[in-house]
Amino acid sequence: MAARFEGSDFYDIDALFSEEERMVRDTIRDWVEDRLLPIIGDAYVTQRFPTELIPEIGELGVLGANLPEEYGCAGLNNVAYGLIMQELERGDSGVRSFVSVQGALVMYPIYAFGSEEQRRTWLPGLASAEKIGCFGLTEPDYGSNPAGMITRARETGDGWVLNGTKMWITNGSMADVAVVWAQTREAGDTKGIRGFVVPTDAPGFSARDQKGKLSLLASDTSELVLDDVHLPHDAVLPRTTGLKNALMCLTQARYGISWGAVGAAMACFHEASSYAGQRVMFDGTIAGKQIQQVRLADMLTAITQGQLLCYRLGRLKDQGTMTPQQVSLAKRANVNMACDIAREARRLLGANGILAEYSAMRHMANLESVYTYEGTHDVHSLILGQTITGVSAF
């Protein structure tokens, strides 16, 4: 009888990682197995983010893990950071989203575009999870075209006044601080769109839970309303000089998503492979049926391709040569791959695949959101098309 391959590292990619990178990955993998997986199914069904795990997430050092230690962060390289995202999304896209938003969309812009006082004020608390942040860019009518945003920041003699609405905001209802992007041209500011650090207890700021979701049910998703929110002059991120800075934040988040999608795909593959070896049908396990073997072979092939894509992207990022277009390719390819694998795993599981005790359908539903957010699949296709042809289709 042929030997059975266990796991999902068919090309021994593990050997390409440093000892520290493997140690980081294994630490998060163990935490996901021990602490997250036992409760995430119930959290998903009851539509709540597992807030009881937030202190532990802070202690793990995964929040802003690739930012400098002087601000309370782990100071890891980008491959180690990517492996963290991979392992967290093995558990659930909503938990990876929580960590990704905190680190890539809140801590990164404060670090990259903020003043030293803003860094010292916010980053240590965000790194330890004593403070929670959210990122306000998307609006009800401006998702793929953020340049058309309606939210305005008007400069006054004693600061700024913000008005507008943001939609689909992860962590919004639990956040202590929001990084909000707003148009400033009406105030005579030639820099246009700029970022602001907005404490969520500021008068006029409110967050409402997004109702009716069928995806990311174990995630906090909100609408933000800014109604004459008065901020001091130093609330603006001083190094923001236009929409390009917000897009730089999205590149950081998309990088993590590229790794996270591989984790979700790995979880579905492992579940499908294990189930196939145990489920008896027509006097034998379904692992011995041709159609299921083809499914598993396709899954393993696609995961291996995604792993290699992430590994190379991570090394490019650590070298400082990674481009946004390369991130678009990885986000587009790996999320699409994970969607396909989650669907096929659900089908392999048959009727059991719709139960919350299995993860495939939860991942399948979650990944439909990941397919859309941080730049839709189609938008990334057009980004690559422009790179290939030199002609913009936007």
Side-chain angles (χ1 to χ4, degrees):
M1 183 175 179
R4 184 182 180 197
F5 173 72
E6 300 283 353
S8 53
D9 187 9
F10 200 62
Y11 270 35
D12 193 22
I13 298 167
D14 192 73
L16 300 175
F17 299 129
S18 70
E19 182 178 354
E20 181 184 38
E21 289 162 354
R22 289 193 295 269
M23 181 185 70
V24 169
R25 179 202 60 199
D26 292 346
T27 297
I28 306 307
R29 180 172 293 179
D30 289 344
W31 181 83
V32 168
E33 292 284 338
D34 295 341
R35 300 292 296 141
L36 179 57
L37 289 181
I39 67 171
I40 193 60
D42 179 72
Y44 188 88
V45 170
T46 57
Q47 301 188 30
R48 69 174 189 88
F49 181 79
T51 54
E52 66 270 28
L53 297 181
I54 291 178
E56 297 179 35
I57 291 172
E59 291 173 5
L60 284 169
V62 301
L63 300 172
N66 54 350
L67 296 179
E69 293 180 70
E70 65 178 297
Y71 300 108
C73 305
L76 298 175
N77 71 13
N78 289 291
V79 170
Y81 173 82
L83 288 166
I84 290 171
M85 298 298 108
Q86 171 186 289
E87 295 307 315
L88 289 174
E89 195 142 1
R90 253 186 203 268
D92 190 77
S93 299
V95 175
R96 196 270 307 144
S97 294
F98 169 84
V99 174
S100 182
V101 167
Q102 182 97 336
L105 297 181
V106 180
M107 297 174 69
Y108 169 78
I110 292 174
Y111 170 72
F113 311 124
S115 66
E116 188 61 23
E117 181 179 358
Q118 288 169 333
R119 294 174 180 174
R120 300 288 177 190
T121 298
W122 290 106
L123 292 182
L126 290 164
S128 67
E130 293 175 16
K131 300 291 185 181
I132 304 300
C134 66
F135 178 83
L137 176 65
T138 301
E139 298 188 356
D141 297 318
Y142 293 96
S144 294
N145 179 27
M149 71 173 63
I150 297 172
T151 298
R152 292 288 187 269
R154 177 172 54 86
E155 193 167 13
T156 66
D158 57 359
W160 298 87
V161 180
L162 271 62
N163 283 280
T165 303
K166 302 294 183 178
M167 185 68 83
W168 308 113
I169 309 303
T170 299
N171 303 349
S173 297
M174 67 175 82
D176 300 289
V177 62
V179 173
V180 174
W181 300 85
Q183 294 274 12
T184 64
R185 289 194 189 279
E186 289 185 353
D189 189 327
T190 58
K191 292 179 179 178
I193 294 171
R194 305 191 72 183
F196 295 83
V197 179
V198 183
T200 59
D201 61 359
F205 183 99
S206 61
R208 295 194 286 258
D209 289 339
Q210 186 70 46
K211 302 295 185 182
K213 291 191 301 179
L214 297 175
S215 175
L216 290 177
L217 300 186
S219 179
D220 179 295
T221 310
S222 306
E223 176 188 25
L224 307 183
V225 177
L226 300 104
D227 183 10
D228 280 344
V229 176
H230 290 257
L231 301 172
H233 285 293
D234 61 5
V236 69
L237 292 169
R239 296 182 181 86
T240 52
T241 57
L243 181 61
K244 65 180 181 180
N245 302 121
L247 299 181
M248 289 171 67
C249 300
L250 296 181
T251 296
Q252 303 302 313
R254 291 163 181 165
Y255 169 79
I257 289 169
S258 301
W259 287 85
V262 173
M266 291 164 69
C268 293
F269 170 74
H270 292 158
E271 182 171 80
S273 177
S274 176
Y275 185 87
Q278 298 170 16
R279 177 65 166 167
V280 176
M281 189 64 60
F282 301 113
D283 301 321
T285 65
I286 63 173
K289 309 304 179 185
Q290 290 181 356
I291 193 168
Q292 309 305 354
Q293 289 195 359
V294 171
R295 273 197 171 110
L296 294 170
D298 286 344
M299 289 181 194
L300 182 60
T301 301
I303 288 170
T304 302
Q305 292 169 339
Q307 289 170 324
L308 290 168
L309 196 57
C310 281
Y311 173 77
R312 180 58 180 157
L313 188 67
R315 292 294 183 229
L316 290 172
K317 185 167 170 54
D318 279 327
Q319 294 167 12
T321 58
M322 182 191 82
T323 68
Q325 293 80 9
Q326 289 170 330
V327 178
S328 286
L329 189 151
K331 194 270 185 183
R332 177 181 183 272
N334 284 357
V335 175
N336 192 62
M337 172 271 292
C339 286
D340 288 345
I341 287 178
R343 183 190 63 244
E344 291 304 309
R346 210 289 315 152
R347 291 176 177 178
L348 184 149
L349 268 63
N352 286 327
I354 72 168
L355 297 175
E357 65 185 270
Y358 295 95
S359 68
M361 192 160 183
R362 173 168 53 82
H363 282 297
M364 185 177 75
N366 284 340
L367 286 164
E368 285 298 316
S369 289
V370 183
Y371 185 91
T372 299
Y373 72 29
E374 308 295 355
T376 69
H377 183 87
D378 293 339
V379 163
H380 287 297
S381 300
L382 297 182
I383 290 170
L384 292 173
Q386 181 176 352
T387 302
I388 295 165
T389 65
V391 180
S392 174
F394 290 98

